Amino acid sequence: MTLARARSAAAAAGLLSALLIFGGHPASAAPPAPPAPAASEGPMAAAFTRAAATYDVPRDLLVALAYSETHLDGHGGAPSASGGYGVMHLVSSPAAHSLEKAAQITGQPARTLRRDDTANILGGAAVLRSYADELGLDDAARKDAGRWYGAVAKYGNASTPEVARLYADTVYNFLGTGIDTPKVKVAPQEVTADRGEYAKAADLNAPVNSLAASADYPAASWVAASSSNYTASSRPSSYAIDRVVIHVTQGSYAGTISWFQNSSAQVSAHYVVRSSDGAVTQMVREKDVAWHAGNWTYNTRSVGIEHEGYVSDASWFTDAMYRSSAALTRAICDKYGIPKDRSHIIGHNEVPGATHTDPGTYWNWTKYMQYVTGSGGGTPWSATVDNTTAGKFTASANWGTSTYSGQRYGTDYRYANPVASSDPAWYQASIPSAGTYKVEVWYPADAGYNSSAPYIVAASGGNQTLYVDQRSGGGAWKSIGTFSLNAGTYNVVGVSRWTSGTGYVIADAVRITKV
């Protein structure tokens, strides 16, 4: 998604070509003594620095992987729904044994790896390095975070290449947009993800994949759960549908999709919703009975919606997730005549005989039901600026105009070659009041578009630059973060040409929404 400082298009293309032969110490050997972390680092940041140095893993990539899995929360040693432990989500299940692998490499007992953040992070680094060794990354290749893509994809224990790509793309997306938490920070950076064979896999980040026609909800992508994890039926003829059950995954979006594809899971839901942007994947047809409620009667009568995250961590429950899920629930209720109230839209914890606590105390039912019914919360201020919006878009003559891609927003879009100068295309908006705003971007995706396109946001504290891989996830709104903006009419978002990412830089449309 972002670029590891390739110095020219030719050099970057060369990095995508072939695997290198392994050199350096084997990951199974006793690790060398790690260097001391910087005195200014907190305990978790220091743990990432030490682990990355010990196993020669890019430190920021290691953080991005952990953040995509757990938001850097070890959950007190409790396992995820798919059997993963700790900040690095080391898995011990019939389907994967990265926890045991980490114990073997590091010499740390599994019980320590499950509960101790520092040991868990070291174990995650050891496992990731072992996968890089299997791919043959030598000393030089390991310095390029983009070359670790295959190792990251394997770390996710995905059941198919498509889900492996979804998992790895999520990690690299966090490298491009950056991570800002009290525990650890990662600056936005250019890294070109070398997808290798995964470039051929379907892009599940796209709004419509090749099987999307199978989805009951038009905005959803379709990834089928294992037939061992649900019951084929003909609802509502076989069973009336009169409930929607809200769940929290106790795991990541990609990890949950992969788990529902695993025949040993013996669990599924009809839909999964992503935290960062509200993306929706359907995995069981509404006519079929998903195994989500822990109660057969409620399984037969309900549609189950899983939400990425953990019940103990409110950071997963974003406004984008609430709004997207509420739109889905509203559509389901309209389709089956389900009343839009809390008697018919319930949490997993409200199912008779439930042993689960999700969606938990951090789930905001008031906000969610207001979004479902449209009875409150209002519509937030929002402005959409296309490249064709008169007086609101400016670009130099270096930016061409194209109608090539059907994923474009509006009638056309702009493109330019990357250069070592900014020459940005700017989108102007009239921000009504100082505050926090979500910025989303729209671009068509193509293998020839930029691997690390720089977006500039004129935030109140100064310009911030983030990097987006325009080779995937096109034809839909993509959030690049929330920002403090000043009131007034000015150039709010720009698309720069200054990148060593390969391919045309695309400027199509932006959307700015008050949070």
Side-chain angles (χ1 to χ4, degrees):
M1 132 121 15
T2 52
L3 192 111
R5 307 290 177 194
R7 296 303 181 188
S8 67
L15 289 175
L16 300 176
S17 60
L19 297 175
L20 298 179
I21 298 185
F22 163 68
H25 74 273
S28 58
S40 60
E41 288 190 319
M44 185 169 287
F48 277 108
T49 299
R50 286 181 177 272
T54 298
Y55 288 103
D56 197 17
V57 175
R59 184 260 194 191
D60 289 353
L61 179 66
L62 193 65
V63 175
L65 190 154
Y67 187 82
S68 70
E69 286 277 20
T70 66
H71 279 197
L72 309 179
D73 188 343
H75 304 104
S80 72
S82 56
Y85 293 87
V87 172
M88 297 301 302
H89 199 253
L90 295 172
V91 178
S92 178
S93 75
H97 304 281
S98 56
L99 177 67
E100 291 78 9
K101 189 179 186 73
Q104 179 184 17
I105 297 172
T106 65
Q108 293 281 345
R111 64 181 179 275
T112 302
L113 290 166
R114 285 194 292 264
R115 291 188 168 275
D116 183 85
D117 286 346
T118 298
N120 187 270
I121 291 167
L122 187 70
V127 171
L128 187 62
R129 169 62 192 276
S130 74
Y131 295 153
D133 290 348
E134 292 172 13
L135 292 175
L137 297 189
D138 67 6
D139 290 347
R142 289 197 303 273
K143 304 304 180 188
D144 180 352
R147 297 297 303 275
W148 288 75
Y149 188 95
V152 170
K154 185 169 183 178
Y155 191 101
N157 302 308
S159 50
T160 66
E162 291 76 20
V163 178
R165 172 173 173 169
L166 176 67
Y167 177 89
D169 279 355
T170 300
V171 174
Y172 279 86
N173 179 64
F174 282 125
L175 277 182
T177 57
I179 297 167
D180 188 359
T181 76
K183 297 176 180 178
V184 187
K185 299 183 188 300
V186 170
Q189 55 200 263
E190 297 171 289
V191 178
T192 288
D194 178 1
R195 293 193 179 97
E197 289 297 310
Y198 290 105
K200 300 175 183 177
D203 179 12
L204 299 182
N205 278 310
V208 178
N209 61 60
S210 60
L211 297 178
S214 299
D216 297 306
Y217 183 60
S221 292
W222 170 257
V223 178
S226 168
S227 60
S228 299
N229 296 334
Y230 67 90
T231 300
S233 189
S234 56
R235 300 190 309 168
S237 299
S238 54
Y239 302 99
I241 299 175
D242 65 1
R243 296 286 191 279
V244 175
V245 180
I246 301 300
H247 301 263
V248 172
T249 61
Q250 293 299 97
S252 70
Y253 182 67
T256 299
I257 292 170
S258 184
W259 184 235
F260 289 170
Q261 288 187 305
N262 190 306
S263 61
S264 67
Q266 298 295 284
V267 66
S268 64
H270 294 91
Y271 295 96
V272 186
V273 184
R274 185 160 59 191
S275 168
S276 61
D277 57 3
V280 179
T281 290
Q282 182 175 7
M283 301 199 68
V284 178
R285 294 296 301 272
E286 291 172 10
K287 73 177 186 64
D288 295 326
V289 179
W291 301 347
H292 62 96
N295 176 313
W296 175 248
T297 299
Y298 270 70
N299 280 342
T300 62
R301 71 192 300 180
S302 65
V303 173
I305 305 175
E306 288 278 5
H307 297 81
E308 180 184 30
Y310 290 81
V311 296
S312 60
D313 188 345
S315 70
W316 293 92
F317 304 142
T318 64
D319 192 64
M321 172 184 277
Y322 281 127
R323 290 183 182 276
S324 175
S325 174
L328 170 60
T329 292
R330 185 167 56 249
I332 293 167
C333 290
D334 289 343
K335 184 175 183 178
Y336 298 106
I338 302 171
K340 299 183 183 77
D341 59 39
R342 285 285 284 112
S343 295
H344 297 84
I345 302 169
I346 64 174
H348 190 183
N349 62 314
E350 297 171 289
V351 173
T355 59
H356 290 242
T357 62
D358 56 313
T361 57
Y362 290 114
W363 181 264
N364 190 331
W365 277 110
T366 300
K367 173 188 282 191
Y368 188 71
M369 293 305 297
Q370 287 175 341
Y371 288 165
V372 170
T373 62
S375 61
T379 301
W381 178 90
S382 184
T384 300
V385 186
D386 185 27
N387 66 285
T388 60
T389 305
K392 298 292 185 180
F393 177 86
T394 56
S396 74
N398 296 316
W399 289 81
T401 302
S402 177
T403 60
Y404 170 75
S405 176
Q407 292 183 337
R408 64 185 180 272
Y409 187 97
T411 57
D412 56 41
Y413 55 98
R414 307 298 290 273
Y415 68 95
N417 281 307
V419 293
S421 61
S422 187
D423 188 24
W426 281 104
Y427 297 86
Q428 184 185 100
S430 298
I431 306 301
S433 60
T436 303
Y437 293 79
K438 178 174 69 172
V439 175
E440 299 167 283
V441 299
W442 184 295
Y443 56 88
D446 186 87
Y449 294 162
N450 202 268
S451 60
S452 189
Y455 283 86
I456 305 167
V457 179
S460 56
N463 286 356
Q464 297 184 37
T465 302
L466 307 100
Y467 300 90
V468 173
D469 185 349
Q470 295 182 331
R471 300 173 301 173
S472 66
W477 289 112
K478 178 183 181 66
S479 173
I480 60 172
T482 57
F483 305 86
S484 294
L485 301 180
N486 291 324
T489 299
Y490 57 95
N491 289 332
V492 180
V493 182
V495 186
S496 174
R497 299 172 62 199
W498 198 335
T499 175
S500 47
T502 57
Y504 286 127
V505 178
I506 303 301
D508 195 349
V510 302
R511 184 166 66 187
I512 305 162
T513 304
K514 186 114 168 54
V515 176

